Amino acid sequence: MEEYIKMNILDTEFMQGFIRMANDGWEQGWHERNGGNLSYRMKPEEVVQGKESFKEGQWQPIGAKVPGLAGEFFLVTGSGKYFRNVILSPEDSLCIIEVDKQGENYRRVWGLVNGGKPTSELPSHLMNHEVKKKATDGKYRVIYHAHTTNVIALTFVLPLKDEVFTRELWEMATECPVVFPSGVGVVPWMVPGGREIAAATSELMKEYDVAIWAHHGMFASGEDFDLTFGLMHTVEKAAEILVKTLSMRPDKLQTIQPEEFRHLAEDFHVSLPEKFLFEKQGTQSTAPVEKQGI
Ligand code: 13P
Ligand code: ZN
């Protein structure tokens, strides 16, 4: 007979990975107060691992329809909870939720031991998960929202266009087009926490792994915790270099050229959409879109 070892859910690999990622984000300075949120679509075997500690709560409306996620379980940060506290008190800061058969309601099955609800950005998280699950044949499991300082700063000075943000970020570090070859999308300022911003973000997630929320932060998606955190980190680091560059002078003396990106794409076996490789008029990052030939 197979020996059955009862495992504390807090010791499971997915829980430990989630907690470490939340704490890494805190240490980067991306999670002031309750800023940001994180969600993970659990694997069937992880649901089995956790079942012993589940206690089903009441069904609640998600605020969005996600039939593609019917019956799925998610580990999610709680609304108003601080990333700082995730590592100190995960069962107070996090919860596991189950989505119903229609994809319209959820119920808490674990966590938030002192009360509370999943993140107010649950519609965005779940709509993004639905898009990514379909687009990647179930491979993508993580959606991460962070208040990344430098990306937010850039949304005040760059035109809010996918083409401009992608191209400027790609130019800031040679690894960027390799790490996010499909580019980044930009959502104009919208009221957070609702269905409308969730719909706009998930539309962009059909094309990109990253969506920037103007004057607010960023959403990143990926297969696992490392890849998703690494993606957020790479984009934010590129933004930091651009902020530093723009702080020295408004133009660049030299940068990576469209033809050089095409060579890079060949050698690194990535495909870079031509819409980001436009010829620029002048060298100012902040030049209006019309003047950048797009
Ligand atoms: P929550 O505390 O509800 O997750 O909200 C934080 C946030 O960043 C909203 O965009
Ligand atoms: Zn936010």
Side-chain angles (χ1 to χ4, degrees), residues 124-135:
S124 281
H125 279 262
L126 294 187
M127 286 180 78
N128 290 340
H129 274 294
E130 190 182 39
V131 163
K132 286 300 183 190
K133 182 184 168 192
K134 188 163 174 229

Side-chain angles (χ1 to χ4, degrees), residues 34-37 77-81 118-121 145 147 192-193 213 216:
N34 63 309
N37 20 77
T77 49
S79 186
K81 298 295 182 181
T119 173
S120 58
E121 303 295 0
H145 169 55
H147 293 179
W213 279 8
H216 184 144

